[in-house]
Amino acid sequence: MPQSRLHPSPSSELPVSELPIVSGTDCYEQTGQTGLWVEVLVDCPGVQGVFTYGLPVGLMVQPGDILSVPFGAQQIGGVVVRCLTALPDGTNLAQLREIDGVIARGFFPPAYWEILLRVAEYYCTPLMQVIRMALPTGLLGRSQRRIKLSQEQGTGNREQGTGGREQGTGNREQKPPLDGMPCTISTVAQQILTLLQSSKTGDYSWQYLQRQVPNAYRGLQELLKLGWVESYLQPPTPIRPKQRQAVTLINQADVALLSPRQQEVLRVLQRQGGELWLTDLLALCQTSSTTLKAIAQKGYLIIQPREVLRSESSETTVTDTPKALTKDQAIALAAIQPLAGYTSVLLHGVTGSGKTEVYLQAIAPLLDEGKSAIVLVPEIGLTPQLTDRFRARFGDRVCVYHSALSDGERYDTWRQLLTGTAQVVIGTRSAIFAPLANLGLIILDEEHDSSFKQDQPSPCYHARTVAQWRAELEQCPLILGSATPSLETWVAHQEVSNQGMANDEYRMANQGMANKRMANQEPFAISPTETLREQNSEFGIRNSPVYLSLPARVQARPMPAIEVVDMRQELGRGNRSIFSQSLQAALNHLHESGEQGILFIQRRGHSTFVSCRSCGYVVMCPHCDVSLAYHQIHAEARPVLRCHYCNYTQAHPEVCPECQSSYFKHFGSGTQRVTQALEQEFPTLRVLRFDSDTTRTKGAHRSLLTRFAQGDADLLVGTQMLTKGIDLPQVTLVGIVAADGLLHLSDYRASERTFQVLTQVAGRCGRGDRPGRVILQTYSPDHPVIAAVQQQQQYEPFVQTELEQRKLLNYPPYGRLILLKFSGLSPGVVQTTAAQVAAALQPLQEQGVERLGPAAAAIERVARRYRWQILLKVPATVAISASFLSSLRDLCPSSVSFAIDIDPLNIG
DNA sequence: AGCACGCCGACT
DNA sequence: GTCGGCGTGCTC
């Protein structure tokens, strides 16, 4: 029991010695050849290409090792690309410098390195940026400029070296200019000084000061000249495992020689199992560490630092055992289990058909074989249920890996993945880069979900695409699970006729890459990669895609009946409520019957703008071209207006700022508005709101869902979040307040997305013993998507119609899209840059690429930056060189930021 | 990113 | 005539 409170000792579960982490000095212990050079890819924005460094005597490194190197005045992170035994001609020996140290070794096994190369190339992103994204934050350290108050100011610089006790605080008061002092300092300088004096250490990072004080640069110059502050570079401190002092009992003989107090300590330690954290033992014995050190000195116990994992521990103590499978599940599992080599599997299972159980049972035997698995989910916070279930089934072998982990947690989890033990990683899209060895299976759950695509910082990768590459390189199956597969996936897993196309397209993309890489043997000349490609030029076994279907729910539960309500008729009948009569009746019944319901609202803000009914004035964000959304944070608090793009917030004006009219209200039906309407019309109904306002904090999803599951409320009101994998058996009613907002998005994927969202929401009900019912309110009941959702078994006809449209217009999956995005503070400069780039695209257009734009983005200004874009439609037969696209960057002035989004999902 | 070199406006 | 602004270019 006390032992369980300690982390398993390094020798048992976390073999530190085998981990590729070495400290700056440890690495010198490895002896070998001397006097070589290394080419290093440095982690410095605006710098690409490799730099050559000298290797300190006795130090050996290999391609893929992560280093700390001097670069200009600072120390930065870098990755070894190649080891050189001779310097190329013309190298200026004078400028060669030696590396500072090794941060980590062996992070990049060949297949993993290959993935990073492919991502860099396919998504037109500098390799270093891809590496930075894949590594835990902070691993690639860099030195930091810091500013501190000078010690010697005023009283002379005598006391510097003596190091004795200092009366620092007494001196510090003399630093600000006293009244009688001849020199006056500017307000900026005074601000900086005050800030520094307010801190305990008198020391802040330059970055922090710049953020706190506008125009900090001026003030700093002043203070530096006066000698009141000093500026210095702090060398990087790489993230390290967290250490804690542990005390272990090693000898109990001759205890009588010790003092009674010391004997007592030993007895306590023994009673606790012979091992305790130092702090715990001190607390338990009411003693000091001096006492313990004395005992240790006599050889009775040892005190040593031991690694602790910062990763969140699994709270679930429940265990879960495999469930009996339905016939369909069994067929699917039987098809998956014998797969060897790379095979892409589409598991098309209706909502509630038990896909998770298939995943679990597919993974179980792999773990026993010592293999690992990656499970990707759209958003980890939204699916505590899934994580719990995996934990309950596989216990400690489950790791959760996502971007919301703290740096320390992420680092520790990352290290644990490297140990090579069989484990299951559950995570969001970035978990596709989990450095697991010996992968046996990759699963993408809710494969159609757009959150698998990254669209903000480059690389704008799609986890599904990366998963395909990874599964192929690791020669393992890939399962794409969904009730509403994306059209891309659907087409790729259809019978031979379509399959040919998907494969050709895919191969083409890869071949273009490989060829190009041969031609310019850039940093890519890392040796493991080349070896791999030679051995495996066709990337090993590539089986035909497999389509598996789970057409029915578990335990023969029926799919919910979907009732479409025409809201125009409701209005005609004089019903001005946002709830149709049908929905009103259902809500009333809900309360009486003790069943639960979900009310789905389109989006959290979009429709709740604030405007004046007298003059029509709408409050807009001063930094973005969008209206501000109405938010009431607490029932009592004053409402605020908030921009959903830049988070600008202001108080809600009492009267219209334009015409002073007091008829100044918010409109639309956001979650808050609907909740209020519910309170008015159904005062007895207990409502729980589930949107990003109420679930902002860590663990809020889980607690809200738990409360709902416990029956604390009758109705859960929420947005898109409700569509993602929530499994609540008591829910028998789903209400969709207005499907229309989704239908009319000006996006080629609008229909597909609407179909997916509505089907997923509808699928939240009837998962328990009682059948479910869906009420879908709309102003366009005849829309084909609504019809398709209503007959949800008929996925195929809907897809066929949609595919014809896509083919006609060369949209994915028939043609590829590339979005070039420009943004900058000056609208004119952004626009002319876009135009110049457009002109440079002429050669592509001659190859048959269609160019749309340049055009201002749908929301032209976000956070004071103007945004323009160019959309390229690339026919499946045309290959585009990544280096050509990357070269467009050179046409952009530094004031315009340029981003390339390959296969964009959001093109508005 | 940081820092150096380097070219044009307000001061002794 | 200098000091000092911050605009371009380099960092092995």
Side-chain angles (χ1 to χ4, degrees):
Chain A
M1 153 63 172
Q3 247 162 345
S4 67
R5 281 155 65 196
L6 287 181
H7 179 72
S9 75
S11 52
S12 62
E13 277 195 40
L14 206 63
V16 165
S17 54
E18 288 170 30
L19 281 175
I21 313 285
V22 273
S23 75
T25 45
D26 283 349
C27 48
Y28 290 89
E29 288 160 18
Q30 308 206 6
T31 47
Q33 296 147 281
T34 57
L36 299 185
W37 298 275
V38 274
E39 286 186 332
V40 178
L41 196 58
V42 295
D43 176 28
C44 191
V47 174
Q48 67 247 61
V50 291
F51 289 77
T52 312
Y53 285 87
L55 216 48
V57 175
L59 178 64
M60 286 240 294
V61 296
Q62 288 191 326
D65 287 354
I66 299 173
L67 307 176
S68 181
V69 295
F71 196 69
Q74 44 181 351
Q75 262 176 283
I76 60 173
V79 179
V80 179
V81 168
R82 203 154 57 146
C83 296
L84 303 174
T85 46
L87 285 173
D89 292 341
T91 312
N92 183 358
L93 275 160
Q95 54 182 199
L96 273 186
R97 295 168 79 178
E98 286 197 343
I99 67 169
D100 286 322
V102 179
I103 297 172
R105 293 181 187 276
F107 266 132
F108 304 110
Y112 191 84
W113 186 254
E114 176 69 23
I115 289 289
L116 298 179
L117 293 180
R118 278 204 202 176
V119 171
E121 190 137 17
Y122 186 82
Y123 291 104
C124 301
T125 307
L127 178 60
M128 200 60 217
Q129 214 163 312
V130 178
I131 293 173
R132 211 181 306 140
M133 169 214 54
L135 292 179
T137 334
L139 204 108
L140 290 168
R142 65 172 340 109
S143 40
Q144 195 189 37
R145 167 75 49 206
R146 295 187 71 88
I147 312 297
K148 66 173 176 190
L149 292 169
S150 300
Q151 291 298 313
E152 64 273 10
Q153 192 271 327
T155 43
N157 34 12
R158 188 63 45 90
E159 62 202 57
Q160 231 338 56
T162 51
R165 79 190 61 135
E166 31 178 323
Q167 304 164 311
T169 44
N171 285 339
R172 208 160 279 165
E173 285 167 5
Q174 297 184 359
K175 270 161 209 163
L178 297 170
D179 294 353
M181 274 199 142
C183 56
T184 48
I185 61 172
S186 66
T187 334
V188 224
Q190 186 57 58
Q191 274 176 291
I192 296 177
L193 208 54
T194 314
L195 208 59
L196 286 170
Q197 283 164 347
S198 69
S199 99
K200 267 208 175 80
T201 49
D203 184 321
Y204 273 121
S205 80
W206 174 228
Q207 226 186 348
Y208 175 80
L209 288 175
Q210 277 178 306
R211 259 187 286 117
Q212 297 301 308
V213 182
N215 268 329
Y217 182 76
R218 297 176 77 91
L220 178 69
Q221 295 299 96
E222 236 174 287
L223 294 170
L224 281 173
K225 220 185 317 169
L226 288 165
W228 292 357
V229 299
E230 282 167 30
S231 143
Y232 67 102
L233 269 179
Q234 187 191 52
T237 43
I239 289 203
R240 324 208 115 259
K242 192 173 167 184
Q243 306 268 348
R244 240 181 125 178
Q245 297 294 324
V247 184
T248 314
L249 188 63
I250 49 168
N251 180 11
Q252 292 176 71
D254 309 322
V255 182
L257 295 174
L258 295 172
S259 73
R261 193 82 180 95
Q262 291 173 331
Q263 291 184 31
E264 193 193 327
V265 171
L266 287 187
R267 271 199 302 279
V268 171
L269 190 54
Q270 191 184 0
R271 226 179 300 135
Q272 298 290 332
E275 209 170 28
L276 269 182
W277 292 120
L278 180 72
T279 47
D280 293 345
L281 183 60
L282 292 181
L284 221 56
C285 304
Q286 289 295 307
T287 182
S288 71
S289 59
T290 341
T291 321
L292 285 180
K293 280 196 192 114
I295 313 176
Q297 203 86 105
K298 293 181 181 167
Y300 290 90
L301 46 81
I302 45 171
I303 304 170
Q304 60 182 172
R306 186 163 301 171
E307 234 173 79
V308 270
L309 285 180
R310 281 160 285 203
S311 20
E312 56 184 85
S313 55
S314 50
E315 292 153 29
T316 39
T317 45
V318 203
T319 50
D320 183 35
T321 47
K323 295 186 173 44
L325 297 179
T326 65
K327 196 179 108 240
D328 296 324
Q329 284 175 316
I331 293 170
L333 186 64
I336 292 165
Q337 275 179 338
L339 292 176
Y342 170 68
T343 317
S344 180
V345 178
L346 168 56
L347 183 60
H348 183 188
V350 297
T351 54
S353 60
K355 291 187 289 289
T356 311
E357 189 59 34
V358 176
Y359 303 152
L360 287 164
Q361 295 198 26
I363 292 172
L366 291 174
L367 287 174
D368 295 338
E369 286 171 40
K371 291 184 175 173
S372 295
I374 295 179
V375 180
L376 298 186
V377 294
E379 270 176 74
I380 205 91
L382 300 181
T383 48
Q385 290 172 321
L386 185 96
T387 321
D388 288 350
R389 197 149 157 216
F390 270 80
R391 283 239 168 91
R393 190 72 64 92
F394 301 125
D396 290 344
R397 288 176 293 182
V398 176
C399 274
V400 178
Y401 191 80
H402 52 91
S403 48
L405 293 178
S406 74
D407 287 357
E409 287 170 337
R410 188 198 266 255
Y411 174 75
D412 288 350
T413 310
W414 175 273
R415 293 197 63 201
Q416 209 176 21
L417 301 183
L418 285 164
T419 57
T421 54
Q423 45 202 320
V424 182
V425 176
I426 303 182
T428 45
R429 62 169 179 267
S430 63
I432 194 57
F433 295 102
L436 279 171
N438 207 2
L439 260 185
L441 180 63
I442 301 176
I443 295 170
L444 257 94
D445 191 30
E446 309 296 352
E447 160 284 323
H448 61 277
D449 198 285
S450 59
S451 60
F452 285 123
K453 175 72 161 65
Q454 168 144 320
D455 60 5
Q456 257 252 288
S458 284
C460 304
Y461 68 97
H462 197 303
R464 195 210 297 133
T465 308
V466 181
Q468 277 163 9
W469 294 335
R470 186 136 192 216
E472 203 175 358
L473 286 161
E474 309 264 3
Q475 285 290 296
C476 73
L478 167 69
I479 301 179
L480 305 173
S482 178
T484 51
S486 65
L487 293 195
E488 288 89 337
T489 302
W490 176 264
V491 166
H493 292 80
Q494 284 312 292
E495 304 311 313
V496 208
S497 55
N498 288 331
Q499 182 195 317
M501 185 220 73
N503 275 344
D504 284 350
E505 189 191 345
Y506 183 87
R507 191 154 292 150
M508 185 197 66
N510 283 320
Q511 223 139 58
M513 257 186 230
N515 293 342
K516 218 214 75 194
R517 206 176 302 149
M518 296 296 206
N520 63 3
Q521 31 180 271
E522 272 304 289
F524 307 116
I526 229 173
S527 51
T529 313
E530 292 306 321
T531 325
L532 184 92
R533 186 171 295 118
E534 278 160 26
Q535 289 169 351
N536 222 341
S537 54
E538 280 291 326
F539 302 128
I541 309 165
R542 206 195 146 82
N543 298 316
S544 303
V546 174
Y547 175 84
L548 298 171
S549 174
L550 304 177
R553 289 189 154 182
V554 293
Q555 297 177 13
R557 285 173 191 143
M559 296 303 288
I562 299 180
E563 178 190 337
V564 175
V565 177
D566 185 345
M567 288 306 277
R568 295 169 306 186
Q569 285 181 16
E570 289 288 322
L571 206 62
R573 263 185 262 145
N575 177 10
R576 302 194 64 191
S577 157
I578 51 173
F579 309 113
S580 61
Q581 286 175 1
S582 185
L583 186 53
Q584 286 178 12
L587 287 171
N588 280 322
H589 174 73
L590 198 65
H591 186 60
E592 290 154 17
S593 66
E595 295 176 9
Q596 286 184 310
I598 284 178
L599 202 57
F600 174 75
I601 287 119
Q602 227 254 97
R603 275 231 141 166
R604 86 178 156 119
H606 259 253
S607 40
T608 42
F609 60 98
V610 178
S611 78
C612 172
R613 288 207 191 174
S614 301
C615 71
Y617 174 80
V618 176
V619 189
M620 304 288 288
C621 174
H623 310 307
C624 313
D625 291 335
V626 292
S627 54
L628 294 179
Y630 177 92
H631 282 262
Q632 182 132 32
I633 296 163
H634 306 295
E636 307 305 320
R638 255 191 88 187
V640 295
L641 305 182
R642 178 169 297 145
C643 173
H644 283 184
Y645 286 83
C646 71
N647 218 29
Y648 167 86
T649 306
Q650 68 167 62
H652 186 288
E654 302 279 341
V655 295
C656 171
E658 282 293 292
C659 70
Q660 323 304 322
S661 159
S662 59
Y663 214 51
F664 193 65
K665 293 252 169 79
H666 57 281
F667 288 92
S669 46
T671 40
Q672 293 182 342
R673 168 73 207 290
V674 171
T675 323
Q676 278 174 13
L678 282 168
E679 279 163 15
Q680 279 165 22
E681 296 181 41
F682 307 90
T684 52
L685 203 66
R686 294 167 306 155
V687 175
L688 216 52
R689 210 174 96 202
F690 191 75
D691 61 19
S692 45
D693 284 333
T694 57
T695 56
R696 207 175 292 260
T697 53
K698 221 177 181 177
H701 293 283
R702 184 187 288 269
S703 68
L704 267 175
L705 286 180
T706 311
R707 281 174 58 197
F708 188 64
Q710 284 168 354
D712 283 7
D714 307 308
L715 190 66
L716 195 60
V717 178
T719 53
Q720 306 270 347
M721 290 185 177
L722 288 174
T723 58
K724 305 193 181 180
I726 288 175
D727 192 359
L728 298 162
Q730 309 94 313
V731 174
T732 56
L733 172 71
V734 162
I736 296 161
V737 175
D740 304 78
L742 283 163
L743 285 173
H744 305 303
L745 292 174
S746 58
D747 185 319
Y748 78 97
R749 288 175 61 251
S751 292
E752 181 185 355
R753 225 160 40 191
T754 308
F755 178 84
Q756 287 164 349
V757 168
L758 295 180
T759 305
Q760 296 286 349
V761 185
R764 297 310 111 201
C765 73
R767 293 171 154 253
D769 298 332
R770 285 174 286 194
R773 176 185 179 200
V774 179
I775 297 172
L776 195 164
Q777 303 187 154
T778 177
Y779 289 89
S780 19
D782 304 323
H783 196 290
V785 173
I786 301 289
V789 171
Q790 197 169 11
Q791 309 142 17
Q792 43 189 283
Q793 312 296 345
Q794 310 296 313
Y795 185 69
E796 204 164 343
F798 166 73
V799 169
Q800 288 313 332
T801 325
E802 191 59 24
L803 282 174
E804 280 162 31
Q805 296 274 320
R806 302 277 181 97
K807 198 164 199 166
L808 214 61
L809 295 166
N810 242 324
Y811 274 118
Y814 297 102
R816 292 169 56 210
L817 295 181
I818 297 173
L819 187 67
L820 308 177
K821 299 187 278 193
F822 306 85
S823 79
L825 293 170
S826 154
V829 176
V830 174
Q831 190 180 348
T832 41
T833 306
Q836 279 161 9
V837 170
L841 292 170
Q842 191 56 38
L844 289 188
Q845 289 172 266
E846 281 160 17
Q847 288 176 57
V849 173
E850 195 182 335
R851 190 192 85 206
L852 303 172
I859 295 161
E860 186 177 354
R861 199 173 55 127
V862 170
R864 295 171 52 214
R865 296 180 73 87
Y866 290 84
R867 310 175 322 144
W868 279 68
Q869 59 184 38
I870 298 172
L871 183 67
L872 299 177
K873 274 197 212 171
V874 187
T877 49
V878 177
I880 291 202
S881 127
S883 62
F884 173 77
L885 287 177
S886 300
S887 73
L888 297 172
R889 217 175 288 273
D890 303 335
L891 296 172
C892 300
S894 54
S895 61
V896 175
S897 61
F898 175 62
I900 302 171
D901 191 346
I902 304 287
D903 307 330
L905 289 188
N906 301 312
I907 58 172

